[in-house]
Amino acid sequence: MEIEAVLPEHCSPARGPDPTSDGAAWLSVWVAECDSGLAGHPITVKGLEAQRNDVLLRLQPLDGEPTTLRFTPQTPVLTVPIAPTIWSVFASYFRLGFEHILEGWDHLLFVFALFVLVRDPWRLVGAITAFTVAHSITLALATLGVLRVPGQPVEAVIALSIVFLALEILKQRDGQMRLSEQFPWIVCFCFGLLHGLGFAGALSEIGLPPTEIPAALIAFNIGVEAGQLTFIAALFALFLLGRSSRHLTTPTVKSIAKSATGYSIGCLATYWLVERVSGFAL
């Protein structure tokens, strides 16, 4: 990628060396002397507006706390805060969590399958809560280095969890509650532990500010939860809109729609499963 971080003109050198890869990201590191400091001055990631990636910039002043700035193609220029606070870190990682869940199609498909399967609203709320608690635990453990699991097997099992919910949807019968309907919080807690490892893989690629790890973890988790709730709210809105049409609420149409939904979710998740298992085997 033809991008580079450019410091203000009163810094020497203003531009760093060519980036090198550490296997997970491209890094460019250098020491610069700035006559009047960096606080209140803009930093530019030149060329980022033509890319699809984000850039995480860490500044470590000699006489202050480190500052973390996140650049996107929409915001390639940022001003270094004069007095960086914990809230700036919280806001940045909240956005990261919110955007990550809405861009993670496998995690969204799991939540969608859960929405289709669990008819009782309170059971659904309990299941989502259990899912959040579980993925928060493994996300923290994996990010802090307490728990280490290879990424590809985790992604394969996440796909398998979606296949399980698809099968539960297809086997669902009126008057007969499946295991996942009776105890959805238990099922979601178990699978949430796995999904948390998937979130941890994404967060490890982004990185954590060394002095604000708890705030960053909490903010990322809250952002993920906010993204899930936003997605659930959108599904409820579409569901209520569908209920307003009599043609869409007949028993035959509902049965066909459920079968089509279950098979669609299952086929897509199976494709992801085979793809990830094949990649792991290679």
Side-chain angles (χ1 to χ4, degrees):
M1 295 181 293
E2 295 182 359
I3 61 174
E4 60 176 337
V6 181
L7 303 181
E9 294 182 355
H10 66 275
C11 293
S12 178
R15 298 170 185 251
D18 292 336
T20 57
S21 175
D22 68 349
W26 287 90
L27 304 175
S28 182
V29 182
W30 77 96
V31 177
E33 294 184 4
C34 304
D35 295 337
S36 57
L38 280 172
H41 294 281
I43 294 180
T44 304
V45 179
K46 186 178 179 182
L48 184 60
E49 63 276 4
Q51 306 295 333
R52 298 179 60 186
N53 296 70
D54 294 352
V55 171
L56 199 66
L57 175 67
R58 291 197 188 120
L59 301 173
Q60 176 61 71
L62 292 177
D63 56 352
E65 294 295 326
T67 300
T68 301
L69 300 176
R70 175 177 172 243
F71 297 80
T72 67
Q74 293 74 35
T75 56
V77 181
L78 290 175
T79 299
V80 180
I82 296 177
T85 65
I86 190 174
W87 296 111
S88 62
V89 174
F90 192 93
S92 180
Y93 279 82
F94 175 87
R95 288 195 302 270
L96 284 170
F98 186 85
E99 292 171 2
H100 176 70
I101 189 66
L102 294 182
E103 294 173 355
W105 293 106
D106 49 357
H107 299 294
L108 287 182
L109 192 60
F110 180 89
V111 175
F112 175 66
L114 192 64
F115 175 83
V116 174
L117 181 65
V118 182
R119 301 173 181 177
D120 185 275
W122 289 111
R123 287 180 180 272
L124 180 61
V125 170
I128 292 295
T129 301
F131 183 73
T132 299
V133 171
H135 75 61
S136 299
I137 293 172
T138 48
L139 172 60
L141 292 176
T143 304
L144 295 175
V146 177
L147 184 64
R148 297 183 181 276
V149 181
Q152 287 181 315
V154 169
E155 294 296 328
V157 178
I158 288 175
L160 188 61
S161 71
I162 304 171
V163 173
F164 171 80
L165 289 185
L167 290 173
E168 291 289 277
I169 292 173
L170 293 173
K171 293 180 180 180
Q172 197 175 39
R173 298 291 184 272
D174 291 333
Q176 300 178 6
M177 295 189 69
R178 304 285 302 171
L179 173 65
S180 53
E181 292 180 274
Q182 292 178 327
F183 309 104
W185 46 86
I186 297 178
V187 174
C188 287
F189 185 87
C190 295
F191 286 139
L193 295 173
L194 296 168
H195 283 251
L197 295 174
F199 294 144
L203 189 55
S204 65
E205 293 179 1
I206 297 169
L208 289 170
T211 60
E212 303 293 353
I213 289 177
L217 279 174
I218 293 172
F220 188 84
N221 269 315
I222 294 177
V224 168
E225 180 64 8
Q228 290 178 163
L229 293 177
T230 300
F231 182 62
I232 287 289
L235 292 176
F236 266 117
L238 292 174
F239 176 73
L240 294 175
L241 183 64
R243 289 187 61 179
S244 63
S245 175
R246 294 182 179 179
H247 299 291
L248 297 178
T249 56
T250 61
T252 302
V253 172
K254 290 172 64 176
S255 177
I256 294 174
K258 181 185 291 185
S259 297
T261 301
Y263 280 114
S264 298
I265 293 173
C267 289
L268 183 56
T270 301
Y271 170 76
W272 285 339
L273 176 62
V274 172
E275 182 183 47
R276 291 165 183 178
V277 169
S278 300
F280 178 65
L282 292 175

